[in-house]
């Protein structure tokens, strides 16, 4: 908080443990609540050996070496007589931008230094290609922190090199580091420095079609990661198809963690050539892909990418164009997760959506693991093209997946030959507010008896057509809704149509099992197909046992095919219930 030196004595130094303060016999730094500071040691006998540092304030946008850029009295003060040097304090603020002269291929043409550097939010320091600078301690500004800009050599395969200085506080207080290139040649690569393990906010700004490669170590970004490629052919890659140009050169498995948001304003986040070397990206906030942006995996025989994942704690906002755009030659602007497992985690209600654009979204392996109950949800309402596999691609662990697309062009197939499970702490909520294309939700969409919906959690149908089993309703297979025995299974029909090819029943292995059945509208059709000898001991619809509920106020339940034995075809003996309307046929 101050810009003056406070001195101790030799008694304040424990020369055995090499520490200052406790448990020395003096009083310097004893019983204080802080440890932050700029410490040094030396002979304090001469008069004022360390001197009083001079504070320089930016007073206009301009070159560091121009005295008119600085004042020693404030951001609006008169010009200084000299410019800041190694022992001085520099505060860049007032929306000023200070820059150093730079050459594209020759480093350190304008080296500058100071003891303490602060950059106020809205202001910037652009050091260009001058890694020889030294900034002592880069501290947080009380009004918030601005932008520290750095470039590297124009030459292909160059590595960004940072100046000397302790950027810890600047990063932890969400100062922004912007790394930019000056070479617009497509296919050139530029590498983030190995050994740098954290940034505050990080902006990557390649020129043209050049690519930026993340470091060969775990990386933590305290704030936001923003990419500003000029088209989708500017790639941002966790790793490249070969070793790193600086030590350690051998590629390692790593995780890039973004505590804030991932904003792909331009360019493409690409997994490329990592083979089976695992490369994970975890974003605690939102992932937003702009019109010329993309997320993709580029894998071929020569440079495969087989071990990668993306985890999102917020929303996925895909505003991409869905086309090769803006002069690009290879990369389509889209979110293509064909070989990229995606996991949604965290609390609250989040989205897979778009606010503009004509996006293409392709999922291959999607896991919903939000919170620890059905209360947290992920809503899919994205427009244009959404593509998913037909089987074994969606896993519900925690939270509710809400499918709410307006008038989609294709069916939404959740499972086929493989049984699909909704666990106790998860839910599936179907809501097609407009379905003039007559598209369907398909679960257990296969003509085999093993394909069922295992309902331990909650299935809600508000609008739309939901099929459990093939859509024709004539296939002789018992595609059932099988509910569990602990009373957590819930079926809530508010509207739309639910078609079950087999039964809604308990397990055939036990007479326990309970379901909470609510219907306030919509139509439920139970075809009763393919019941084998064991299934015949269960009703086509049965609500029974402790913890069960049957509540119906509107809508219809139609049982198409008979042949029940032990409990007939309709067996309602709930622990609690209410019927005020509706019709059972």
């Amino acid at each position: 908080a101050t810009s003056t030196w406070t001195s101790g004595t030799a008694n304040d130094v424990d020369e055995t443990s090499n520490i200052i303060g406790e448990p020395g016999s003096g009083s310097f730094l004893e019983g204080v609540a802080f440890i932050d500071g700029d410490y040094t040691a030396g002979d304090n006998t001469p008069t004022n050996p360390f001197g009083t540092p001079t504070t320089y304030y930016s007073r206009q946008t301009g070159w560091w070496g121009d005295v008119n850029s600085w004042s020693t009295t404030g951001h609006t003060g008169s010009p200084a007589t000299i410019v800041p040097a190694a022992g001085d304090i520099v505060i860049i603020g007032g929306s000023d931008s200070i820059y150093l002269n730079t050459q594209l291929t020759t480093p350190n043409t304008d080296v500058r230094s100071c003891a303490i550097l602060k950059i106020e939010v809205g202001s910037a320091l652009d050091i260009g290609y001058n890694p020889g600078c030294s900034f002592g301690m880069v501290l947080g500004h009380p009004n918030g922190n601005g932008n520290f800009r750095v470039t590297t050599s124009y030459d292909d395969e160059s590595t960004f090199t940072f100046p000397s200085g302790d950027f810890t506080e600047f990063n932890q207080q969400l100062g922004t580091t912007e790394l930019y290139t000056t070479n617009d040649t497509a296919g050139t690569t530029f590498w983030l420095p190995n050994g740098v393990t954290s940034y505050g906010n990080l902006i990557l700004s390649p020129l043209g079609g050049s690519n930026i490669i993340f470091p060969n170590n775990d990386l933590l970004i305290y704030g936001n990661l923003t990419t500003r490629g000029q088209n989708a052919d500017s790639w941002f890659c966790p790793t490249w198809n070969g070793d790193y140009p600086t030590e350690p050169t051998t590629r390692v498995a790593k995780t890039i963690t973004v505590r804030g948001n991932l904003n792909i304003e331009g360019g493409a986040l690409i997994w490329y050539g990592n083979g089976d070397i695992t490369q994970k990206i975890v974003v605690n906030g939102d992932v937003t892909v702009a019109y010329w942006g993309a997320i993709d995996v580029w894998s071929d025989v020569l440079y495969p990418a087989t071990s990668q994942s993306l985890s999102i704690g917020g929303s996925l906002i895909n505003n991409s164009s869905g086309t090769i755009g803006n002069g690009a030659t290879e990369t389509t602007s889209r979110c293509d997760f064909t070989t990229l497992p995606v996991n949604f985690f965290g609390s609250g209600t989040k989205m897979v959506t778009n606010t503009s654009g004509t996006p293409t979204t392709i999922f291959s392996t999607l896991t919903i693991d939000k919170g620890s109950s059905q209360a947290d949800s992920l809503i899919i309402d994205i427009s244009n093209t959404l593509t998913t596999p037909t089987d074994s691609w969606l896993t519900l662990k925690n939270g509710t997946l809400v499918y709410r697309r307006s008038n989609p062009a294709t069916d939404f197939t959740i499972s086929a030959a493989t049984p699909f499970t909704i666990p106790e702490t998860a839910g599936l909520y179907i809501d097609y507010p407009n379905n003039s294309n007559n598209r369907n939700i398909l679960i257990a969409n296969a003509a085999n008896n093993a394909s069922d919906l295992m309902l331990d959690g909650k299935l809600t149908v508000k609008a739309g057509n939901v099929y459990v089993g093939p859509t024709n309703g004539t296939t002789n297979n018992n595609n059932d809704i099988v509910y569990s025995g602990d009373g957590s299974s819930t079926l809530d029909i508010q509207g739309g149509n639910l078609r079950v090819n087999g039964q809604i029943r308990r397990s055939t292995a036990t007479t326990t099992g309970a379901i909470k059945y609510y219907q306030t509208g919509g139509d439920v059709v139970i075809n009763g197909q393919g019941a084998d000898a064991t299934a015949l001991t269960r009703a086509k619809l049965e609500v029974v046992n402790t913890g069960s509920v049957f509540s119906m106020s509107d809508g219809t339940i139609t049982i198409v095919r008979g042949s029940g034995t032990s409990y007939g075809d309709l067996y309602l003996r709930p622990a609690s219930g209410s019927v005020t309307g509706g019709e059972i046929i």
Side-chain angles (χ1 to χ4, degrees):
T2 64
S3 300
T4 59
W5 292 105
T6 300
S7 300
T9 69
N11 290 332
D12 297 303
V13 180
D14 183 337
E15 296 178 359
T16 301
S17 302
N18 293 318
I19 59 174
I20 299 174
E22 303 285 2
S25 60
S27 60
F28 182 65
L29 290 181
E30 294 192 5
V32 298
F34 61 86
I35 60 171
D36 288 342
D38 193 0
Y39 297 100
T40 189
D43 183 2
N44 200 30
T45 302
T47 303
N48 197 18
F50 302 113
T52 300
T54 301
T55 299
Y56 286 82
Y57 303 88
S58 66
R59 59 183 300 273
Q60 64 181 29
T61 294
W63 174 46
W64 183 298
D66 183 356
V67 293
N68 292 301
S69 299
W70 305 104
S71 173
T72 57
T73 59
H75 293 300
T76 59
S78 57
T81 56
I82 58 175
V83 299
D88 298 319
I89 298 170
V90 171
I91 302 177
I92 300 172
S95 299
D96 299 328
S97 294
I98 301 296
Y99 62 87
L100 310 186
N101 291 330
T102 191
Q103 296 293 327
L104 295 182
T105 58
T106 303
N108 300 322
T109 58
D110 188 14
V111 173
R112 302 290 175 174
S113 300
C114 64
I116 292 176
L117 172 65
K118 298 181 182 181
I119 307 172
E120 185 181 25
V121 63
S123 300
L125 171 61
D126 186 346
I127 71 166
Y129 184 30
N130 287 286
C133 295
S134 177
F135 298 114
M137 298 181 68
V138 185
L139 303 181
H141 194 286
N143 296 337
N145 296 293
N147 195 352
F148 183 80
R149 304 186 76 236
V150 181
T151 191
T152 187
S153 173
Y154 177 92
D155 296 333
D156 183 25
E157 297 192 349
S158 295
T159 299
F160 288 91
T161 304
F162 279 93
S164 300
D166 183 353
F167 286 77
T168 302
E169 184 173 305
F170 179 76
N171 289 334
Q172 291 177 348
Q173 296 187 14
L174 302 184
T176 298
T177 299
E178 181 174 1
L179 305 178
Y180 64 96
T181 67
T182 56
N183 188 335
D184 64 355
T185 305
T188 53
T189 55
F190 299 91
W191 306 76
L192 269 66
N194 295 336
V196 177
T197 59
S198 64
Y199 294 91
N201 297 305
L202 177 62
I203 300 175
L204 303 177
S205 301
L207 191 66
S210 57
N211 310 306
I212 293 182
I213 317 304
F214 284 91
N216 198 29
N217 50 255
D218 288 340
L219 182 64
L220 171 62
I221 299 170
Y222 289 100
N224 300 328
L225 170 60
T226 302
T227 67
R228 292 177 176 169
Q230 293 179 304
N231 58 59
D233 276 350
S234 292
W235 287 6
F236 309 91
C237 302
T239 191
W240 198 241
N241 62 357
D243 290 338
Y244 279 72
T246 59
E247 294 291 339
T249 59
T250 302
R251 292 173 296 165
V252 300
K254 65 175 177 288
T255 300
I256 300 168
T257 302
V258 182
R259 289 187 177 173
N261 301 321
L262 170 57
N263 303 310
I264 303 178
E265 297 179 0
L269 174 61
I270 301 286
W271 280 260
Y272 172 64
N274 52 286
D276 60 358
I277 304 172
T278 302
Q279 305 292 311
K280 299 178 181 179
I281 294 182
V282 178
V283 181
N284 290 0
D286 296 338
V287 175
T288 302
V289 181
Y291 193 78
W292 295 123
I295 300 176
D296 207 341
V297 176
W298 191 276
S299 182
D300 55 29
V301 175
L302 290 178
Y303 304 116
T306 60
S307 183
Q308 54 273 334
S309 65
L310 173 64
S311 297
I312 304 172
S315 296
L316 171 62
I317 305 163
N318 180 10
N319 293 330
S320 62
S321 63
T323 61
I324 298 176
N326 203 27
T329 58
E330 295 179 338
T331 309
T332 302
S333 173
R334 63 186 179 185
C335 288
D336 187 348
F337 307 119
T338 301
T339 55
L340 179 64
V342 179
N343 172 48
F344 283 91
F345 67 97
S347 60
T349 299
K350 306 300 179 182
M351 313 281 288
V352 175
T353 190
N354 66 298
T355 57
S356 61
T358 53
T360 295
T361 309
I362 305 171
F363 286 116
S364 62
T365 303
L366 179 62
T367 301
I368 311 300
D369 191 8
K370 295 187 59 61
S372 57
S373 71
Q374 300 168 6
D376 301 295
S377 62
L378 178 73
I379 300 173
I380 299 179
D381 69 353
I382 194 164
S383 66
N384 211 51
T385 302
L386 175 65
T387 303
T388 63
T390 58
D391 196 25
S392 297
W393 66 275
L394 175 63
T395 300
L396 302 181
K397 290 186 175 180
N398 293 288
T400 298
L401 175 62
V402 180
Y403 194 71
R404 187 178 284 156
R405 300 187 69 211
S406 179
N407 206 27
T410 58
D411 291 340
F412 184 58
T413 303
I414 292 178
S415 67
T418 305
F420 180 69
T421 299
I422 302 176
E424 180 177 347
T425 55
L428 178 62
Y429 189 108
I430 306 301
D431 180 14
Y432 272 34
N434 175 17
N435 193 14
S436 61
N437 286 332
N438 200 34
R439 297 304 178 182
N440 307 308
I441 305 291
L442 306 179
I443 304 172
N445 184 39
N448 70 60
N449 291 335
S451 183
D452 296 316
L453 169 59
M454 312 305 293
L455 184 62
D456 300 322
K458 185 175 184 179
L459 172 63
T460 302
V461 181
K462 183 177 181 180
N465 303 317
V466 180
Y467 286 87
V468 178
T471 58
N472 55 29
T474 60
T475 304
N476 187 29
N477 296 101
N478 55 359
N479 310 101
D480 301 328
I481 296 179
V482 182
Y483 53 84
S484 62
D486 62 2
S488 59
S489 305
T490 303
L491 188 57
D492 185 4
I493 310 301
Q494 302 175 14
N497 303 289
L498 174 64
R499 303 287 187 266
V500 181
N501 201 47
Q503 302 164 254
I504 302 176
R505 61 172 176 81
R506 297 165 287 171
S507 168
T508 58
T510 177
T511 57
T512 62
I515 189 171
K516 296 178 175 66
Y517 184 101
Y518 303 95
Q519 187 165 0
T520 56
D523 299 305
V524 176
V525 176
I526 303 169
N527 286 319
Q529 288 278 15
D532 59 22
T534 57
L536 289 175
T537 65
R538 298 287 178 263
K540 302 301 178 293
L541 171 63
E542 52 183 14
V543 183
V544 65
N545 291 330
T546 301
S548 62
V549 175
F550 184 84
S551 176
M552 187 175 187
S553 60
D554 202 351
T556 64
I557 300 172
T558 302
I559 299 175
V560 175
R561 193 169 280 98
S563 72
T565 59
S566 302
Y567 299 98
D569 295 309
L570 175 66
Y571 182 42
L572 303 181
R573 194 177 182 181
S576 64
S578 171
V579 177
T580 59
E583 186 177 16
I584 298 177
I585 305 168

